[in-house]
Amino acid sequence: MILVVGGAGYIGSHLVKDLVMEEDVLVLDNLITGHREAIDQKALFIHGDIGDPFVLKTVFKNYPIKSVMHFAAYSLVGESVLDPQKYYENNVGSTLNLLNAMLKHNVKNFIFSSTAATYGIPNVELIDETIPANPINPYGKSKLMIEEILADYASAYEMKYTILRYFNAAGAHESGEIGEKHVPETHLIPLILQHLAGLRKNISVFGTDYDTPDGTCIRDYIHVTDLAKAHISALHSLLNGWNKSAVYNLGNGQGFSVKEVIETCEQVTGLKADVVYCERRAGDPGRLVASAEKIKRELGWEAERNLEQIIQSAWKWHRNQKY
Ligand code: UFG
């Protein structure tokens, strides 16, 4: 059985929907940002928090967990600057509880959701995993702290782990049953689609004076189903003993500017956006594009869905939201 912590959240719920096809899955989620309706019915569900030692004891004593996948974290960069305590308590403190409970119950396989925010503002075209981590906000730092703890736990306690550093996750499940729903929403693609669906007055572009061809920020958007598939490859590798405790970028290797994303949303929907050009948002790097060559080489995974497919799936979900 695989324990998926945060399996009611956006990325966790997409992973669960695919993973239940091949494994028994137990979801543990406190439902603070996740949605009960997003959890696939074939998965078992426990409503609880990894900050609670009793919950962890119950889970590890009563279920034959062979691996843990950890998606439960706060992930808003701006909020992490204003309220670092929330980020360090949950993303670091509670994750440490989880790791210690795993050790206590001799569960040694761990897949960790990390982020491109660990790189800070790297001044390179394509970011590969040899670029030194240098996070510039508490969110990125909280993820890097766990990455470092994992390396120490691996050498001292034989913990085996895979760290997956996501670039910009987007899109929705092909079934149309689950998709991206954050409250509040801060991410570019759902905000554009909400605007085009008539739920927001306009779409703001944060900054037009970046050192990029059209002056707006460039990001590497990756379909959430491609992310889910990467987790399943990483799980196979861990369970088959191939893994050597590694960190991998998850991206498409292709960058799109904010303007290009808006244009693609207009093409997919056939609707015209009302765009408002604004000041830069604090802490936004101008360009973040992954090299995902390492995971392709070592685990045979690569992203299969392009920006248009990402937006098509997200639009299908937005027009027919189930929760
Ligand atoms: N943007 C706008 N207008 C908006 C919202 C976003 O112009 O209304 C721009 C942002 O400035 C940025 C781009 O669109 O340039 C993408 O912004 P998102 O908020 O969608 O995503 P981020 O790149 O800021 O953040 C994502 C993840 C974080 C992670 C980060 C790593 O959501 O969790 O990538 O860099 F930390």
Side-chain angles (χ1 to χ4, degrees), residues 16-271:
V16 168
K17 207 167 187 53
D18 288 351
L19 189 62
V20 291
M21 309 303 270
E22 53 182 272
E23 297 278 356
D24 291 331
V25 175
L26 173 62
V27 170
L28 174 62
D29 199 299
N30 62 15
L31 298 182
I32 289 179
T33 56
H35 306 278
R36 176 70 184 90
E37 306 90 316
I39 304 170
D40 192 277
Q41 285 179 358
K42 290 195 249 345
L44 292 176
F45 171 57
I46 293 182
H47 183 191
D49 195 302
I50 53 170
D52 181 343
F54 180 74
V55 169
L56 291 174
K57 192 172 162 192
T58 307
V59 166
F60 286 107
K61 270 188 94 168
N62 295 324
Y63 297 92
I65 307 294
K66 56 182 179 179
S67 181
V68 177
M69 297 172 131
H70 181 32
F71 295 86
Y74 294 123
S75 62
L76 299 178
V77 168
E79 182 186 57
S80 78
V81 176
L82 298 173
D83 192 1
Q85 182 184 1
K86 176 173 176 179
Y87 281 71
Y88 291 127
E89 261 176 18
N90 182 64
N91 295 7
V92 182
S94 295
T95 301
L96 200 52
N97 284 346
L98 173 64
L99 293 174
N100 292 341
M102 287 175 63
L103 287 183
K104 196 164 172 194
H105 294 88
N106 207 28
V107 178
K108 298 276 175 89
N109 296 315
F110 190 68
I111 296 181
F112 181 57
S113 302
S114 189
T115 170
T118 52
Y119 291 110
I121 308 194
N123 195 14
V124 291
E125 280 285 295
L126 279 185
I127 302 166
D128 68 33
E129 296 84 348
T130 64
I131 300 287
N134 189 16
I136 55 162
N137 50 62
Y139 168 61
K141 289 180 194 170
S142 72
K143 290 289 183 177
L144 184 61
M145 285 175 193
I146 295 298
E147 290 194 7
E148 289 173 345
I149 290 169
L150 283 173
D152 292 342
Y153 274 34
S155 49
Y157 312 127
E158 294 178 336
M159 185 160 263
K160 296 188 199 72
Y161 65 83
T162 306
I163 291 165
L164 299 172
R165 290 180 176 161
Y166 310 161
F167 282 64
N168 287 60
H173 197 268
E174 61 180 2
S175 64
E177 285 172 14
I178 55 174
E180 183 168 13
K181 180 167 180 160
H182 297 110
V183 182
E185 190 52 78
T186 62
H187 295 94
L188 181 64
I189 291 175
L191 286 174
I192 300 169
L193 296 180
Q194 285 172 4
H195 161 55
L196 292 173
L199 303 173
R200 287 176 192 271
K201 226 169 124 229
N202 49 43
I203 180 73
S204 301
V205 172
F206 297 142
T208 52
D209 57 351
Y210 284 96
D211 184 18
T212 59
D214 68 17
T216 65
C217 286
I218 292 179
R219 292 289 181 274
D220 181 337
Y221 295 88
I222 174 164
H223 197 293
V224 65
T225 295
D226 283 328
L227 282 185
K229 289 189 184 312
H231 285 76
I232 292 174
S233 299
L235 180 70
H236 289 155
S237 155
L238 272 185
L239 295 180
N240 290 320
W242 306 325
N243 183 276
K244 47 181 183 4
S245 290
V247 53
Y248 298 113
N249 287 340
L250 293 185
N252 264 311
Q254 231 192 324
F256 291 93
S257 73
V258 174
K259 278 188 183 169
E260 287 171 327
V261 174
I262 294 173
E263 281 160 19
T264 312
C265 288
E266 289 179 331
Q267 280 157 19
V268 166
T269 62
L271 298 164

